[in-house]
Structure formats: structure tokens, C-alpha cells
Amino acid sequence: MTTKDKILVYGAGGVQGGAVASKLLKEGHAVHTIVRNSDKAAQLQEQGITAFVGDLTDASSLTPAHHGVNKVFLVLPVDYDLERNRQFIRNTVDAAKEANVKLLVFNTSGFFTDDVTGVAAYDIKKELIAYVKQSGIPTIILQPTFYMENFLIPGVVDNQTLAYPVPADSAVAWISMEDAAAYSVYALNHPELAGKTLPIVGPEALTGNQLAEQFSATLNRKIQFYSLPVEAFEEALSPMLGKETAKGLADSYKWLGLNSHFQLLPKPDQVSDELRSATRGTPLQEWVKQAVQNGFFAQ
């Protein structure tokens, strides 16, 4: 197979970046990535990914991974320390600019707004986007809503309840990480989209109650939706993600819950026909069936 582009994929050792890297390899692209230790690098090398050991806080350590690269897929770690994120932003974007990459595709990993919110989750993304734009690098920004994989967080879905910190009557267009990866690869293959911010969401917007109905129908048991208080969500996440990350996530949900901000989330009809050609999007019930086949949601 003829190699097409050489693309640096941040986070190729994780779920989001890993899905993008896998699709790019299947298309014949060469994939670079950056990991924090040699053991992880060796694992990825076995998958056909050229992995470099580096750290987002160390600008010089990012340079080798950019050698010969003409495109970059950027997704940042979940981190709500504003100064540390500024360092991530400066180092990743400056390295791409120094390498003279021809295209940067940035997946924001969630909603953002141009308004100043005082919420780290949104203000961090706003700063990153501003820094990318002033760099002069041709950039495509991808904006998802919430990932369906959040339903796999322990305690979100149990035998009888789906508990999540969204209102029961607010419709959200959830997206699977596989679909997000398909849109990301499409963007990497279409540099003419540079300069655009593109919503990437699933094919249906569902309220909390509709989520429960579809889980019930697919799992063949009665599931009720419970609008989980944000404070309880934060408390449940703290042991898994740490207090700082749990608080950062919780603050973003609190802001969305104010003044009907959930209505600002991208809707299915905002995804262009061109992007939909990359994937029609996975309906929730189809995603749940796939999750069951992978051993999740057992009664």
C-alpha cells in the first residue's frame, strides 16, 4: 500500500487518538505519536505507529515526532489547570508551526463558546483556538457534544437507572468516539476545509427520558432516567479522575445547566452533508448493542 501522508496523532495511546490512528493506518498513512514512556512506545510500535517519548510540558521533546510530518491531529489530555494547559497549547502549536505542517485538525473534545464563562473547561478551549488561529497554521476545528462512551462510566447505567447530570427534557446529540474518529480522518484528508469550525454529532438528539427509553428497548429491561445532581457526579468521579479533574468536569455541566445553555449544543442538522458522507453516525440503540457485544451493561 502506498503511503499517503505522514501525520502526527496526539493521544494515539488513548481511546480518542487511538481510533483516529487506527483509521489512518488502514488508509495507508504513516502515523507518528508522542507518549510518556518507552513501554507504551513499544506497544504502539507493534501496531505500526512510530512512537516518540515526550512530554507536553517539555517543548524540545515534541520536536523529533514532527520530523517529516505534514499534518497534525491534536486532542489534549483532560486537564483543568489553566496554566498547565497554556503550556500544552504553546508547546504543541509552536512545534507544529516550526515543523511547517500544512494542516492541523483540532478536536475540542466537547462544547465550547466564544463567551467568557469563568469555567476552565470552556475558557481553556477558547484560548487554544485563539492561539491556533494566530499561529497562521491552516486549521480545522471539530466540535463534538458528549461521547456515548460516557455511559460506560461505572454507575451511570445500572440495572434499572441511567443517571447523568443533564436535564430530563434537554435533547443532546450524543456521538460515539468511532464516529468522531471518522470525522477527524475526513477532515485530515480534506485540507480545503481549513478555517472552519465543524460540529460533529450523532444522527439523533435525545432527551434524558428518551435515552432511558432506548436503553430499555435495547437491553430488554426497564431503565429510568435520573437527572443526577452535578455535585453527586463530581463526588463519584473524584476517586477515578482526581478532585481537580472531577471539579473541572462538574463546573462545565453546571454552566450548561444555567439559563438553558444546553440549547447551545450542536444539533444533528448542523453537520454538513459532506461530513455525513464520512459516516452517517451511529444511532444510540446501535451503539448500545455494540457495547453489549463487548461485555457492557450485563444485568
Side-chain angles (χ1 to χ4, degrees):
M1 185 180 293
T2 302
T3 297
K4 299 176 181 178
D5 288 311
K6 185 177 287 186
I7 302 173
L8 172 59
V9 176
Y10 281 90
V15 179
Q16 286 193 67
V20 173
S22 177
K23 292 181 184 299
L24 289 172
L25 288 172
K26 288 178 182 177
E27 289 191 358
H29 300 288
V31 176
H32 285 196
T33 195
I34 299 167
V35 293
R36 302 212 41 191
N37 62 71
S38 56
D39 289 343
K40 188 66 175 179
Q43 293 174 17
L44 294 176
Q45 296 277 13
E46 292 178 0
Q47 298 173 28
I49 298 170
T50 304
F52 298 81
V53 176
D55 191 316
L56 297 186
T57 62
D58 179 1
S60 63
S61 73
L62 306 184
T63 301
H66 285 78
H67 182 69
V69 163
N70 57 336
K71 296 178 183 177
V72 172
F73 171 76
L74 178 61
V75 60
L76 290 178
V78 179
D79 189 304
Y80 295 102
D81 181 284
L82 190 55
E83 189 49 47
R84 189 158 54 238
N85 268 273
R86 287 184 177 127
Q87 193 173 20
F88 292 167
I89 292 164
R90 289 192 299 268
N91 291 347
T92 55
V93 175
D94 289 353
K97 185 174 182 179
E98 184 178 346
N100 195 31
V101 301
K102 304 306 180 186
L103 180 67
L104 187 150
V105 173
F106 170 48
N107 184 335
T108 62
S109 299
F111 173 75
F112 66 88
T113 173
D114 290 333
D115 296 332
V116 176
T117 65
V119 177
Y122 304 133
D123 292 346
I124 285 168
K125 291 184 177 72
K126 183 179 176 182
E127 284 200 21
L128 173 54
I129 290 166
Y131 196 78
V132 168
K133 287 181 176 178
Q134 66 87 30
S135 74
I137 302 171
T139 302
I140 303 169
I141 297 168
L142 303 179
Q143 181 187 14
T145 48
F146 299 141
Y147 289 118
M148 293 178 182
E149 283 71 14
N150 289 359
F151 296 127
L152 303 180
I153 297 172
V156 170
V157 179
D158 62 19
N159 286 339
Q160 297 178 311
T161 305
L162 192 166
Y164 205 81
V166 298
D169 58 355
S170 290
V172 176
W174 298 74
I175 183 172
S176 74
M177 286 194 179
E178 278 295 313
D179 289 347
Y183 290 133
S184 299
V185 170
Y186 185 90
L188 286 163
N189 286 331
H190 290 81
E192 70 275 9
L193 296 174
K196 294 187 177 182
T197 297
L198 304 173
I200 53 168
V201 298
E204 53 193 356
L206 301 171
T207 66
N209 290 330
Q210 289 171 329
L211 288 174
E213 290 170 3
Q214 295 209 13
F215 265 91
S216 297
T218 310
L219 299 179
N220 196 29
R221 64 178 188 261
K222 182 63 177 176
I223 303 288
Q224 292 185 320
F225 180 76
Y226 173 58
S227 184
L228 186 69
V230 175
E231 293 77 13
F233 186 63
E234 180 180 352
E235 184 177 352
L237 289 179
S238 289
M240 292 182 283
L241 304 179
K243 290 185 177 180
E244 183 180 67
T245 300
K247 183 181 185 305
L249 284 168
D251 286 347
S252 68
Y253 282 93
K254 284 179 184 176
W255 186 87
L256 283 172
L258 294 173
N259 302 319
S260 301
H261 285 150
F262 273 99
Q263 296 178 10
L264 301 177
L265 294 174
K267 304 295 190 295
D269 61 5
Q270 292 178 254
V271 179
S272 69
D273 292 340
E274 187 179 18
L275 270 182
R276 282 284 186 225
S277 69
T279 175
R280 64 184 177 85
T282 305
L284 179 69
Q285 284 190 261
E286 184 179 320
W287 180 87
V288 175
K289 288 177 183 177
Q290 293 170 2
V292 170
Q293 292 172 359
N294 291 323
F296 295 100
F297 305 129
Q299 191 163 11

